[in-house]
Amino acid sequence: MKKEMTFHVTGSAKGMQTVVHSRQHTITIDEPPSIGGQDTGPDPLTTLLSALAGCENVVANLVAKELNFDLQGIEFDIQGTIDTRGLMGDPNVKPYFQQVTIHAKVKTNEPQERIEEL
């Protein structure tokens, strides 16, 4: 049986800045001055990596509950590499992350084999 959830945001943009609303939350996304923004918020790609950390955390917590795993917290170090030539229109270069690396340090009293299971 299908159980769907719908996620919805609205927003407006002026220059490089985008202000997005979701329920009672507001997110400002902008670029630094070197790219034409005002640096009023994180850039779009950093925001994407931040969302990835949030997704990884939610899934880890759901799985930990299922496994009766003592998950006390997670520290994330996420890095994405992009070739900016693709963003600037070079058709020979992909305009998205070439590589994303996630390092997650799990805070727990569980043994290593349980951490690997999580």
Side-chain angles (χ1 to χ4, degrees), residues 1-5:
M1 180 194 268
K2 202 177 199 182
K3 261 186 126 172
E4 292 183 343
M5 289 179 67

Side-chain angles (χ1 to χ4, degrees), residues 53-66:
C55 288
E56 291 284 335
N57 179 55
V58 168
V59 169
N61 274 275
L62 291 172
V63 172
K65 185 176 180 180
E66 228 176 76

Side-chain angles (χ1 to χ4, degrees), residues 56 59-71 74 106 108 110-118:
E56 291 284 335
V59 169
N61 274 275
L62 291 172
V63 172
K65 185 176 180 180
E66 228 176 76
L67 297 175
N68 196 27
F69 184 95
D70 177 32
L71 181 58
I74 306 173
V106 176
T108 186
E110 298 277 359
Q112 185 62 37
E113 56 271 5
R114 291 273 289 159
I115 294 171
E116 291 171 13
E117 181 182 6
L118 175 68

Side-chain angles (χ1 to χ4, degrees), residues 9-114:
V9 300
T10 60
S12 58
K14 184 176 181 182
M16 293 290 192
Q17 182 192 71
T18 306
V19 178
V20 181
H21 304 280
S22 172
R23 299 185 329 264
Q24 74 273 20
H25 305 286
T26 300
I27 302 167
T28 301
I29 301 169
D30 201 355
E31 291 286 356
S34 63
I35 301 187
Q38 299 297 313
D39 206 19
T40 58
D43 63 83
L45 294 176
T46 298
T47 303
L48 182 65
L49 294 179
S50 300
L52 178 58
C55 288
E56 291 284 335
N57 179 55
V58 168
V59 169
N61 274 275
L62 291 172
V63 172
K65 185 176 180 180
E66 228 176 76
L67 297 175
N68 196 27
F69 184 95
D70 177 32
L71 181 58
Q72 299 168 9
I74 306 173
E75 292 180 20
F76 291 99
D77 183 351
I78 302 177
Q79 183 172 333
T81 303
I82 190 166
D83 185 333
T84 57
R85 294 176 300 164
L87 291 176
M88 298 302 143
D90 185 332
N92 299 313
V93 179
K94 297 174 183 172
Y96 47 81
F97 286 119
Q98 278 75 43
Q99 181 176 348
V100 174
T101 306
I102 303 171
H103 294 281
K105 184 177 180 183
V106 176
K107 183 176 179 188
T108 186
N109 291 320
E110 298 277 359
Q112 185 62 37
E113 56 271 5
R114 291 273 289 159

